[in-house]
Amino acid sequence: MKKILIRLDKVSKAFGKNNVIKDFSLDVYEGEFLTLLGPSGCGKTTVLRLISGLETVTKGKVYIDSVDVTDIDATKREVNTIFQNLALFPKMTVVENISFGLKMKKIPPNEINKRVKSIIKLVKLEGLENRYPNELSGGQQQRVAIARGIIMNPKVLLLDESLCSLDLKLKKSMQVELKKIQKKLGITFIYVTHAQDEALSMSDRIVVINNGKIEQIDSPENIYQHPNSVFVADFIGEANIIDAKVLDNKDSLKLSYFNDQVICINTIEEFNIGETIKLVIRPENVIVSKEDKKGILGKITGITYEGDSTKLSIELNNEIMIDARIVDKDTFDEDDIVYIRFSKNFIVPLRNRYEK
Ligand code: ATP
């Protein structure tokens, strides 16, 4: 059984009359890489601050390692935070920055030296030990902040949008390294981001937050392939979201959409006959053809080349726009008449909880 390291039990947080976190319950397991993901202002940082003790809850309880820390001061919680701005000490060298916390704890100097050396190797900062923060690149500063966070051996490391200021290439390589470091040390990471690609590539589980509430907690694969709401489908990656009506629900789910189209799909969720629902179809699961006339007629109104794939914007006869993603960009031109079909196994039916 996985051990629960952090538990938020029906936590709410209000700033004045503004209720920003609402009835939020979450278990974080030991050794996992958990990401809090959601749009700006949804409350991610506030959740992180409630765990670290930098904010106090309005209602509910916070547990760390089964101990109720709701009323315990931030300095006494065994968590460490890496802030968005890194907050390195500008007048201290790399080694001084990394060893600062251990010195404060009065750890013997030879023990400090040993631990600093091994952490510097782990985060690949060898040769830069005596540089000051302003003599380091963004990625190197990032590593110092990570080293400073993990050297204290916290039970949990909280990372607030830690990679957001790096350029795309550096960000990608830091994502891989961060994940490697986390696995090697087995420290629980709680990572905050609004970037879905970051969440999908690094996390063991993702918590999607919308307006202070949890929408879905799941593995990256399930969040992407089986979103449980239109909000999640729309926020994570690109999605075509279309209206449909349930015609039958016996063996499989028989649906009508676009007035005259009928499709049968398999789903474990139960829907009622006559219910109007939403269908989520990722652009890569839209099949586009000029020859196969069995599909739905449409016209290509836009082609966007995106390196490893190309996005087609297709206007159907009913004026609905559908996005498709294809690999071979030379097959299609703007104004081409095409026929589209949806890969049946990748259509996700959803209760009509939210409008897009
Ligand atoms: P971002 O991705 O933009 O950093 P976030 O999801 O981390 O956003 P929070 O910083 O947690 O969001 O803020 C959630 C809401 O709480 C926002 O509406 C914000 O204005 C409000 N808020 C946060 N801190 C305070 C505070 N100290 N006083 C008043 N309101 C606050």
Side-chain angles (χ1 to χ4, degrees), residues 31-33 178-187 204:
E32 82 169 320
F33 195 126
L178 202 57
K179 177 88 185 162
K180 269 194 201 154
I181 291 170
Q182 188 266 337
K183 283 285 162 251
K184 189 160 181 184
L185 297 175
I187 297 176
D204 295 316

PDB file of all heavy atoms in Angstrom, residues 31-33 178-187 204:
ATOM      1  N   GLY A  31       6.896   9.680  -2.334  1.00  0.00           N
ATOM      2  CA  GLY A  31       7.736   9.389  -3.501  1.00  0.00           C
ATOM      3  C   GLY A  31       7.104   9.735  -4.836  1.00  0.00           C
ATOM      4  O   GLY A  31       7.686   9.487  -5.879  1.00  0.00           O
ATOM      5  N   GLU A  32       5.927  10.313  -4.840  1.00  0.00           N
ATOM      6  CA  GLU A  32       5.317  10.593  -6.145  1.00  0.00           C
ATOM      7  C   GLU A  32       5.628  12.016  -6.631  1.00  0.00           C
ATOM      8  O   GLU A  32       5.972  12.905  -5.849  1.00  0.00           O
ATOM      9  CB  GLU A  32       3.814  10.324  -6.141  1.00  0.00           C
ATOM     10  CG  GLU A  32       2.931  11.399  -5.603  1.00  0.00           C
ATOM     11  CD  GLU A  32       1.444  11.129  -5.897  1.00  0.00           C
ATOM     12  OE1 GLU A  32       1.106  10.663  -6.993  1.00  0.00           O
ATOM     13  OE2 GLU A  32       0.621  11.416  -5.012  1.00  0.00           O
ATOM     14  N   PHE A  33       5.503  12.192  -7.932  1.00  0.00           N
ATOM     15  CA  PHE A  33       5.643  13.498  -8.566  1.00  0.00           C
ATOM     16  C   PHE A  33       4.232  13.925  -8.933  1.00  0.00           C
ATOM     17  O   PHE A  33       3.646  13.423  -9.883  1.00  0.00           O
ATOM     18  CB  PHE A  33       6.523  13.377  -9.818  1.00  0.00           C
ATOM     19  CG  PHE A  33       7.036  14.694 -10.347  1.00  0.00           C
ATOM     20  CD1 PHE A  33       8.395  14.883 -10.558  1.00  0.00           C
ATOM     21  CD2 PHE A  33       6.175  15.737 -10.639  1.00  0.00           C
ATOM     22  CE1 PHE A  33       8.886  16.094 -11.049  1.00  0.00           C
ATOM     23  CE2 PHE A  33       6.651  16.946 -11.123  1.00  0.00           C
ATOM     24  CZ  PHE A  33       8.013  17.111 -11.335  1.00  0.00           C
ATOM     25  N   LEU A 178      14.844  17.013 -13.787  1.00  0.00           N
ATOM     26  CA  LEU A 178      14.081  17.143 -12.538  1.00  0.00           C
ATOM     27  C   LEU A 178      13.414  15.821 -12.185  1.00  0.00           C
ATOM     28  O   LEU A 178      13.443  15.361 -11.048  1.00  0.00           O
ATOM     29  CB  LEU A 178      13.021  18.233 -12.724  1.00  0.00           C
ATOM     30  CG  LEU A 178      12.484  18.883 -11.470  1.00  0.00           C
ATOM     31  CD1 LEU A 178      13.604  19.485 -10.654  1.00  0.00           C
ATOM     32  CD2 LEU A 178      11.485  19.981 -11.832  1.00  0.00           C
ATOM     33  N   LYS A 179      12.850  15.205 -13.188  1.00  0.00           N
ATOM     34  CA  LYS A 179      12.168  13.919 -12.990  1.00  0.00           C
ATOM     35  C   LYS A 179      13.193  12.857 -12.547  1.00  0.00           C
ATOM     36  O   LYS A 179      12.926  12.060 -11.645  1.00  0.00           O
ATOM     37  CB  LYS A 179      11.490  13.550 -14.318  1.00  0.00           C
ATOM     38  CG  LYS A 179      10.801  12.241 -14.326  1.00  0.00           C
ATOM     39  CD  LYS A 179       9.381  12.377 -13.839  1.00  0.00           C
ATOM     40  CE  LYS A 179       8.740  11.008 -13.749  1.00  0.00           C
ATOM     41  NZ  LYS A 179       7.573  10.989 -12.943  1.00  0.00           N
ATOM     42  N   LYS A 180      14.372  12.876 -13.183  1.00  0.00           N
ATOM     43  CA  LYS A 180      15.425  11.900 -12.839  1.00  0.00           C
ATOM     44  C   LYS A 180      15.857  12.071 -11.389  1.00  0.00           C
ATOM     45  O   LYS A 180      16.000  11.109 -10.639  1.00  0.00           O
ATOM     46  CB  LYS A 180      16.653  12.110 -13.734  1.00  0.00           C
ATOM     47  CG  LYS A 180      16.634  11.287 -14.990  1.00  0.00           C
ATOM     48  CD  LYS A 180      18.026  11.311 -15.596  1.00  0.00           C
ATOM     49  CE  LYS A 180      17.970  10.966 -17.061  1.00  0.00           C
ATOM     50  NZ  LYS A 180      19.086  11.543 -17.809  1.00  0.00           N
ATOM     51  N   ILE A 181      16.079  13.353 -11.002  1.00  0.00           N
ATOM     52  CA  ILE A 181      16.527  13.650  -9.638  1.00  0.00           C
ATOM     53  C   ILE A 181      15.467  13.183  -8.645  1.00  0.00           C
ATOM     54  O   ILE A 181      15.766  12.555  -7.631  1.00  0.00           O
ATOM     55  CB  ILE A 181      16.784  15.179  -9.478  1.00  0.00           C
ATOM     56  CG1 ILE A 181      18.006  15.590 -10.299  1.00  0.00           C
ATOM     57  CG2 ILE A 181      16.964  15.570  -8.017  1.00  0.00           C
ATOM     58  CD1 ILE A 181      18.205  17.096 -10.410  1.00  0.00           C
ATOM     59  N   GLN A 182      14.223  13.463  -8.976  1.00  0.00           N
ATOM     60  CA  GLN A 182      13.124  13.102  -8.065  1.00  0.00           C
ATOM     61  C   GLN A 182      13.068  11.588  -7.876  1.00  0.00           C
ATOM     62  O   GLN A 182      12.951  11.097  -6.761  1.00  0.00           O
ATOM     63  CB  GLN A 182      11.815  13.645  -8.640  1.00  0.00           C
ATOM     64  CG  GLN A 182      10.622  13.522  -7.728  1.00  0.00           C
ATOM     65  CD  GLN A 182       9.820  12.255  -7.981  1.00  0.00           C
ATOM     66  OE1 GLN A 182       9.871  11.683  -9.062  1.00  0.00           O
ATOM     67  NE2 GLN A 182       9.084  11.830  -6.977  1.00  0.00           N
ATOM     68  N   LYS A 183      13.195  10.848  -8.965  1.00  0.00           N
ATOM     69  CA  LYS A 183      13.128   9.381  -8.872  1.00  0.00           C
ATOM     70  C   LYS A 183      14.311   8.843  -8.075  1.00  0.00           C
ATOM     71  O   LYS A 183      14.187   7.935  -7.275  1.00  0.00           O
ATOM     72  CB  LYS A 183      13.106   8.755 -10.277  1.00  0.00           C
ATOM     73  CG  LYS A 183      11.761   8.844 -10.957  1.00  0.00           C
ATOM     74  CD  LYS A 183      10.737   7.848 -10.386  1.00  0.00           C
ATOM     75  CE  LYS A 183       9.313   8.212 -10.722  1.00  0.00           C
ATOM     76  NZ  LYS A 183       8.457   8.692  -9.683  1.00  0.00           N
ATOM     77  N   LYS A 184      15.496   9.435  -8.333  1.00  0.00           N
ATOM     78  CA  LYS A 184      16.709   8.952  -7.671  1.00  0.00           C
ATOM     79  C   LYS A 184      16.628   9.156  -6.159  1.00  0.00           C
ATOM     80  O   LYS A 184      16.974   8.274  -5.380  1.00  0.00           O
ATOM     81  CB  LYS A 184      17.911   9.700  -8.252  1.00  0.00           C
ATOM     82  CG  LYS A 184      19.234   9.143  -7.801  1.00  0.00           C
ATOM     83  CD  LYS A 184      20.325   9.559  -8.739  1.00  0.00           C
ATOM     84  CE  LYS A 184      21.641   8.948  -8.251  1.00  0.00           C
ATOM     85  NZ  LYS A 184      22.758   9.371  -9.029  1.00  0.00           N
ATOM     86  N   LEU A 185      16.134  10.331  -5.750  1.00  0.00           N
ATOM     87  CA  LEU A 185      16.099  10.636  -4.315  1.00  0.00           C
ATOM     88  C   LEU A 185      14.843  10.107  -3.628  1.00  0.00           C
ATOM     89  O   LEU A 185      14.820   9.944  -2.411  1.00  0.00           O
ATOM     90  CB  LEU A 185      16.172  12.152  -4.097  1.00  0.00           C
ATOM     91  CG  LEU A 185      17.450  12.825  -4.573  1.00  0.00           C
ATOM     92  CD1 LEU A 185      17.340  14.316  -4.399  1.00  0.00           C
ATOM     93  CD2 LEU A 185      18.653  12.291  -3.807  1.00  0.00           C
ATOM     94  N   GLY A 186      13.813   9.868  -4.417  1.00  0.00           N
ATOM     95  CA  GLY A 186      12.555   9.369  -3.840  1.00  0.00           C
ATOM     96  C   GLY A 186      11.815  10.415  -3.013  1.00  0.00           C
ATOM     97  O   GLY A 186      10.911  10.082  -2.253  1.00  0.00           O
ATOM     98  N   ILE A 187      12.204  11.696  -3.157  1.00  0.00           N
ATOM     99  CA  ILE A 187      11.498  12.760  -2.429  1.00  0.00           C
ATOM    100  C   ILE A 187      10.163  13.026  -3.141  1.00  0.00           C
ATOM    101  O   ILE A 187      10.087  12.970  -4.362  1.00  0.00           O
ATOM    102  CB  ILE A 187      12.337  14.066  -2.394  1.00  0.00           C
ATOM    103  CG1 ILE A 187      13.633  13.838  -1.629  1.00  0.00           C
ATOM    104  CG2 ILE A 187      11.559  15.226  -1.782  1.00  0.00           C
ATOM    105  CD1 ILE A 187      14.568  15.043  -1.632  1.00  0.00           C
ATOM    106  N   ASP A 204       3.615  11.820 -12.090  1.00  0.00           N
ATOM    107  CA  ASP A 204       2.998  10.511 -11.885  1.00  0.00           C
ATOM    108  C   ASP A 204       1.484  10.693 -11.891  1.00  0.00           C
ATOM    109  O   ASP A 204       0.761   9.913 -12.462  1.00  0.00           O
ATOM    110  CB  ASP A 204       3.432   9.907 -10.538  1.00  0.00           C
ATOM    111  CG  ASP A 204       4.921   9.602 -10.522  1.00  0.00           C
ATOM    112  OD1 ASP A 204       5.399   9.063 -11.533  1.00  0.00           O
ATOM    113  OD2 ASP A 204       5.602   9.927  -9.533  1.00  0.00           O
TER     114      ASP A 204
END
